[in-house]
Amino acid sequence: MRRNDYMPQKDADFDILQTNVYNAAQANASKWLIPQELVTALDVPRQRWSAAYAAYCVTASRTPAVTREKNDAGADYRAVLRTFIQGQIMHNSRVSDGERLAMGLPVYDRKPTQARPPETRTEMEIFFPQIMKHILHVRDSESKSAGKPAHVIGFEIWRRTGGDTEPAFEEMQFVELATRSPHTLEYTSADRGKMVWYATRWVNTRGEKGPWSEILSAIVP
């Protein structure tokens, strides 16, 4: 894969990436100084892809024509989206490395470094001083400091909501990349009283992940 080819080969992974990029661009166009018409130009190929991919995912009615349309729509949208990412996000100084990683895009060192995958674990504490909020305080397992290790850009937050037993890491869902501690997560009234299980891990500037933290839980107040 070329250095500048940000498009995953698997359709499901591409669909996640394009959703993340489109939603982030819509929400931050003014902050990132991206002309709204460039974001709007993604709508037609995106809608075609979404419809074609949704039809393809219905295996009972998947025909050769449905598969061809999914492939054609995907190829057209990938080309348009790649141009948009390259021109408006990857070289846009107003987009932070943390925001790129949160979208699922790579971050390249602008200067040669000796960055290595994070070797230390995150340690966290969960506080809930207000209803429908959890506040995660994360520190490094070695330094015991809230400061991030060298070349680390932030920490991933994974969770599972509900259940009485501790889940496996594979059963948890990615929430977001946090670039600083403490980090607040908000819930709705429907979540009150539910148990939420959390795990975190460091992420460096290359997108490489560190070892998992312990899994901790807290009830939504």
Side-chain angles (χ1 to χ4, degrees):
M1 184 178 292
R2 302 191 312 271
R3 177 182 173 91
N4 291 328
D5 187 0
Y6 318 112
M7 301 299 114
Q9 295 181 351
K10 293 183 178 179
D11 292 331
D13 293 339
F14 168 68
D15 195 55
I16 292 172
L17 175 70
Q18 69 86 14
T19 298
N20 290 343
V21 171
Y22 181 82
N23 289 345
Q26 283 278 33
N28 297 287
S30 59
K31 184 180 79 169
W32 294 343
L33 297 186
I34 299 175
Q36 185 59 48
E37 59 266 25
L38 295 183
V39 181
T40 303
L42 298 175
D43 286 343
V44 171
R46 180 175 186 269
Q47 291 172 13
R48 181 190 175 195
W49 157 257
S50 297
Y53 181 55
Y56 177 82
C57 289
V58 182
T59 54
S61 58
R62 184 184 299 165
T63 64
V66 168
T67 300
R68 279 196 305 274
E69 172 60 10
K70 184 268 296 181
N71 291 340
D72 291 345
D76 289 346
Y77 188 26
R78 279 174 167 86
V80 172
L81 189 62
R82 183 181 292 114
T83 299
F84 178 85
I85 291 172
Q86 181 70 12
Q88 304 302 321
I89 294 178
M90 295 308 295
H91 300 291
N92 188 339
S93 62
R94 296 171 185 83
V95 183
S96 72
D97 286 345
E99 289 169 325
R100 292 187 186 93
L101 285 174
M103 285 184 275
L105 297 172
V107 173
Y108 301 118
D109 289 339
R110 291 164 179 78
K111 297 180 180 179
T113 66
Q114 298 299 318
R116 301 172 58 185
E119 297 178 349
T120 56
R121 296 188 303 123
T122 51
E123 292 184 348
M124 63 175 158
E125 292 182 277
I126 307 168
F127 298 90
F128 32 96
Q130 302 178 50
I131 64 170
M132 295 183 290
K133 287 187 179 181
H134 282 166
I135 301 177
L136 270 57
H137 287 252
V138 173
R139 59 180 179 269
D140 185 64
S141 61
E142 294 298 317
S143 67
K144 306 298 181 183
S145 166
K148 300 185 289 284
H151 306 298
V152 162
I153 199 165
F155 56 93
E156 288 185 343
I157 301 172
W158 292 69
R159 73 181 170 198
R160 191 188 73 182
T161 302
D164 298 324
T165 58
E166 179 178 304
F169 292 112
E170 294 79 10
E171 298 176 286
M172 307 180 84
Q173 294 183 324
F174 174 71
V175 180
E176 59 186 306
L177 176 78
T179 56
R180 62 182 61 186
S181 175
H183 185 82
T184 300
L185 295 108
E186 299 187 354
Y187 291 88
T188 66
S189 57
D191 297 315
R192 297 190 68 184
K194 292 182 180 179
M195 184 71 75
V196 183
W197 306 83
Y198 292 102
T200 57
R201 59 183 176 180
W202 294 125
V203 181
N204 71 8
T205 55
R206 298 178 186 272
E208 297 168 320
K209 318 296 173 58
W212 287 107
S213 67
E214 293 184 25
I215 296 176
L216 297 183
S217 64
I219 292 175
V220 177

